[in-house]
Amino acid sequence: MGMSNVPAYIHLARACMIIACIIGIANLILIFLAYVRKSDPVWIQMAGLTLCLSVGCVLTATLWFGAKVEQYSRMADTDYFSFGYSIILGWVSIPLVVIGEIGRASCRERV
């Protein structure tokens, strides 16, 4: 099966996951800069923002893939695509990141 035969939702999910990885790398850099410059809370706020953007991309990819793979499997009358461990990992990681962001926001110093 070539790339032209792959449904568009697979390309969308793949693109969202790649964007989430790139934003995650930027998040790691911002967290490192926040530890280096302890007096400036802007770096921590920017790291939180990039983390929320990354979670948004992962949420979009897992929702879109989960909704469309079942529909495509019924239309094509095949079980070629399956959910697998990666989509389960995406669903588990989203609440954990949200809980971490709530904890980070509630524990920061009030300036």
Side-chain angles (χ1 to χ4, degrees):
M1 179 147 89
M3 289 299 283
S4 61
N5 296 338
V6 176
Y9 72 90
I10 301 260
H11 292 300
L12 176 71
R14 187 178 296 150
C16 284
M17 288 296 189
I18 290 171
I19 291 170
C21 289
I22 292 170
I23 293 173
I25 291 170
N27 187 19
L28 289 175
I29 292 169
L30 287 173
I31 289 172
F32 176 74
L33 290 174
Y35 280 121
V36 170
R37 301 177 185 195
K38 294 181 182 178
S39 62
D40 195 7
V42 173
W43 294 102
I44 296 172
Q45 293 171 351
M46 287 174 47
L49 178 68
T50 58
L51 191 60
C52 290
L53 290 173
S54 180
V55 166
C57 289
V58 171
L59 182 65
T60 302
T62 54
L63 281 174
W64 192 260
F65 184 80
K68 291 294 184 177
V69 74
E70 185 68 30
Q71 179 184 10
Y72 181 77
S73 293
R74 272 190 261 129
M75 282 181 3
D77 212 17
T78 182
D79 288 333
Y80 185 75
F81 300 108
S82 65
F83 288 115
Y85 292 110
S86 60
I87 197 162
I88 295 169
L89 184 63
W91 278 109
V92 169
S93 67
I94 291 168
L96 291 176
V97 170
V98 170
I99 290 169
E101 277 297 305
I102 291 171
R104 183 197 59 84
S106 64
C107 293
R108 70 177 183 185
E109 287 183 343
R110 306 288 182 217
V111 180

